[in-house]
Amino acid sequence: IKKEIDNFRFYLVIAGTNTSQIKGISAAGIDSESRKITALADAEFLLFGPNKDNVYKLPLLHAGVTPALISNVCANLMGINTIVIPIGVNEKPYFKYLSVEKILTRPAKSIISGKSMPKNRVKSLYQNGFSIGKATKQPIFISESVPGGTTTAQAIMEAYGLKVSDLVGSSLLDPPRKLKKEIISLGLLKANLKNNFDFIDVISAVGDPFQAFSMGLLVGARE
């Protein structure tokens, strides 16, 4: 793999959803305030490793080691050149990144609202991802950091009727399944999706920016 590493395109998509601000929903940061910069800190750590001068300090965790450390070590060992794509993070990164939205956008709303993102934003992210994927002539590898992302992923699947509430993982050792079930049910109730909804409707209701962009990236790459 190392010999062929330059034949791959590696993307790290960091994105934000205010679903992460719900108390008890995520361990991607010790509290809701710290989770606002976790994705940026993950990207910085992956690119530059542990450094006392890091701008975005990784939040202290109750237990365990950040996956960003494992990713950084593997990326260095394999000589990976990662392209960072920030979508809906709380501030503009100081390091090099690929911009897919014309202006700095805010994180998606909490899925409790049933209106996570405007449909035109979801469509734009999908189309931008599709264009990048289709223009890429190499195999692609997608990594992500989205605090609250397992909850939005579960919400998307449950919108399609998939019984996954006991299957989807979490950054917490003991997933807060009851809490997730409650907020997803509330979000889908408020979304009031009709029988003929499509993926744009679902992501707009209870999704996050990573999903919209990365789906376009995958479909484009397949083409």
Side-chain angles (χ1 to χ4, degrees):
I1 294 174
K2 190 173 181 179
K3 291 179 181 179
E4 299 292 330
I5 208 71
D6 291 335
N7 292 330
F8 289 79
R9 186 68 62 91
F10 289 85
Y11 293 108
L12 168 61
V13 184
I14 57 175
T17 165
N18 283 337
T19 304
S20 70
Q21 299 300 290
I22 299 171
K23 185 177 180 180
I25 203 68
S26 173
I30 203 164
D31 55 32
S32 60
E33 194 63 27
S34 69
R35 287 193 286 272
K36 291 180 180 179
I37 61 117
T38 295
L40 287 162
D42 279 343
E44 181 184 47
F45 200 102
L46 173 64
L47 294 173
F48 308 118
N51 190 318
K52 64 182 178 62
D53 297 323
N54 281 355
V55 174
Y56 308 109
K57 305 298 183 185
L58 271 170
L60 295 174
L61 301 176
H62 288 295
V65 176
T66 170
L69 175 60
I70 301 169
S71 301
N72 170 260
V73 171
C74 291
N76 285 334
L77 284 173
M78 298 173 69
I80 292 171
N81 179 30
T82 305
I83 300 170
V84 179
I85 301 177
I87 313 172
V89 292
N90 281 287
E91 58 183 86
K92 183 178 179 180
Y94 71 88
F95 45 78
K96 184 179 179 181
Y97 64 91
L98 176 62
S99 178
V100 297
E101 292 187 291
K102 291 182 179 179
I103 59 174
L104 182 67
T105 52
R106 305 300 297 169
K109 294 179 181 178
S110 169
I111 64 171
I112 291 177
S113 67
K115 296 179 180 179
S116 292
M117 292 179 287
K119 288 184 182 180
N120 60 351
R121 184 183 182 191
V122 175
K123 291 177 182 177
S124 176
L125 284 170
Y126 175 82
Q127 289 298 333
N128 289 344
F130 182 89
S131 297
I132 293 172
K134 192 170 183 180
T136 303
K137 304 304 181 184
Q138 303 156 288
I140 65 172
F141 183 100
I142 302 175
S143 55
E144 55 79 32
S145 177
V146 188
T150 58
T151 304
T152 56
Q154 182 176 327
I156 294 290
M157 290 186 279
E158 291 197 11
Y160 281 99
L162 298 174
K163 308 299 182 183
V164 296
S165 60
D166 292 328
L167 301 176
V168 177
S170 170
S171 54
L172 288 154
L173 181 61
D174 296 313
R177 301 200 187 281
K178 182 179 178 182
L179 175 60
K180 289 191 177 196
K181 186 175 181 179
E182 289 173 354
I183 65 174
I184 290 171
S185 295
L186 182 57
L188 290 174
L189 180 64
K190 288 186 178 180
N192 192 27
L193 295 167
K194 306 301 180 182
N195 291 332
N196 60 343
F197 63 79
D198 61 16
F199 72 91
I200 297 291
D201 297 322
V202 177
I203 295 178
S204 176
V206 292
D208 64 55
F210 164 78
Q211 295 163 343
F213 173 80
S214 297
M215 183 166 61
L217 187 63
L218 284 169
V219 175
R222 282 181 56 123
E223 296 241 339

